[in-house]
Amino acid sequence: MSVHSKPMPIRAAAAAVDQTLLNLVRPKRLLEFARSCIKFPVEYAAARAQQAVPAACFNELFSEPKDASFSVDPSSFGRHGWNVKLHEEVYLAAAVTVLQPRKLFEIGTFDGNTTRRLAEAAPADAVVHTIDLPESAFDATQSPESFSGSRVGERYADSPARSKIKQVRADATTYDFTPFHGQIDFVFVDAAHDYRHGLCDSRTALKLVKPGGTIVWHDFEPYWSGLVHAICEATRGMPLKRLDGTSMAVLRVPTGF
């Protein structure tokens, strides 16, 4: 047997380095590497901004939902990747159960799963307004897997709580929210996640909410760096909190707001 039949460790290491460099110079791999290098400082800055927002548990932000029970509709297990997580859905329902808001506004309907949850938890005389893009604009600008603009709101279509829901199909950046300014008890924001839209939606939410009301944002996490910075900028000087164990940010608006 030849003494050279097995690679020497140093030769194996050199071969591994050569292969790594070869992988990096392939166009697709090189592009992915460049993107990760660019994203790291951006996401790091967003992580710093997110961590600067104090975390609080549910009972600190709201209060214990006494004598309340929460069931999970079987359809919730067939959730899309764009839906809020199941435990976040329960937290939202619990918050609405505690607060008992009569007027709610959701920015970003998607399939209507969260819309339905908000309506079910709200009082019998509550109204849940929800806005998402018109069908053609949705299909042209959004790209969720196996989901089209014609399906927006489908999850609440057959719900007993459907009568509480008022759907708006419009671009939230240009829609006239003026009639709702200062009228809304509970706002949930889960729409576009880039900085420009996040800032616009956050400023809209602040105009909609009444003094003493509540705003909840979804996906307040470093991966969505633009959204994190937008929320922090829009709420600067306000008592924004992170709901511990979730990707949600919460603002209990002061009564003197």
Side-chain angles (χ1 to χ4, degrees):
M1 179 181 292
S2 168
V3 294
H4 298 299
S5 59
K6 293 183 179 180
M8 298 296 290
I10 191 168
R11 291 176 60 191
V17 170
D18 287 345
Q19 186 60 49
T20 299
L21 292 174
L22 181 61
N23 288 338
L24 284 178
V25 297
R26 289 173 180 165
K28 185 176 180 181
R29 297 284 180 86
L30 184 59
L31 182 59
E32 291 172 354
F33 178 72
R35 282 176 176 166
S36 66
C37 290
I38 293 169
K39 285 181 67 176
F40 175 77
V42 174
E43 291 187 5
Y44 178 74
R48 292 285 299 270
Q50 181 216 35
Q51 291 300 312
V53 175
C57 69
F58 183 90
N59 289 356
E60 292 174 307
L61 287 169
F62 306 101
S63 63
E64 185 178 343
K66 299 181 184 299
D67 303 320
S69 61
F70 302 96
S71 61
V72 178
D73 190 290
S75 66
S76 289
F77 291 100
R79 62 208 308 108
H80 191 280
W82 278 23
N83 288 136
V84 302
K85 300 295 187 291
L86 185 58
H87 71 289
E88 294 174 331
E89 181 182 310
V90 173
Y91 273 129
L92 283 169
V96 172
T97 298
V98 169
L99 298 173
Q100 291 290 282
R102 258 64 184 183
K103 295 182 180 180
L104 301 85
F105 213 117
E106 177 187 44
I107 303 176
T109 312
F110 189 49
D111 65 4
N113 186 66
T114 306
T115 323
R116 174 178 57 83
R117 213 39 171 145
L118 294 173
E120 289 171 346
D125 60 347
V127 178
V128 180
H129 301 274
T130 183
I131 186 170
D132 212 319
L133 290 167
E135 183 176 336
S136 58
F138 187 99
D139 291 337
T141 61
Q142 310 300 304
S143 56
E145 185 178 354
S146 304
F147 193 90
S148 66
S150 63
R151 297 175 60 190
V152 167
E154 66 180 8
R155 288 288 187 110
Y156 65 69
D158 298 324
S159 167
R162 173 69 181 87
S163 60
K164 299 179 185 179
I165 300 169
K166 294 187 180 299
Q167 178 75 63
V168 177
R169 299 301 296 268
D171 187 333
T173 64
T174 57
Y175 182 70
D176 182 12
F177 288 95
T178 305
F180 303 100
H181 284 182
Q183 303 296 312
I184 306 301
D185 301 301
F186 189 95
V187 184
F188 180 58
V189 185
D190 189 16
H193 286 23
D194 60 289
Y195 173 81
R196 182 175 72 87
H197 289 91
L199 185 61
C200 179
D201 292 339
S202 297
R203 287 173 171 168
T204 295
L206 289 167
K207 291 176 182 176
L208 291 174
V209 73
K210 62 168 43 174
T214 300
I215 305 173
V216 179
W217 288 265
H218 189 234
D219 287 328
F220 184 68
E221 52 189 359
Y223 180 83
W224 303 109
S225 55
L227 181 62
V228 169
H229 290 301
I231 295 169
C232 290
E233 180 177 332
T235 60
R236 187 170 291 121
M238 300 178 185
L240 184 69
K241 298 288 194 300
R242 289 180 288 123
L243 178 53
D244 213 4
T246 75
S247 68
M248 296 190 290
V250 178
L251 177 65
R252 298 299 308 276
V253 179
T255 54
F257 176 70

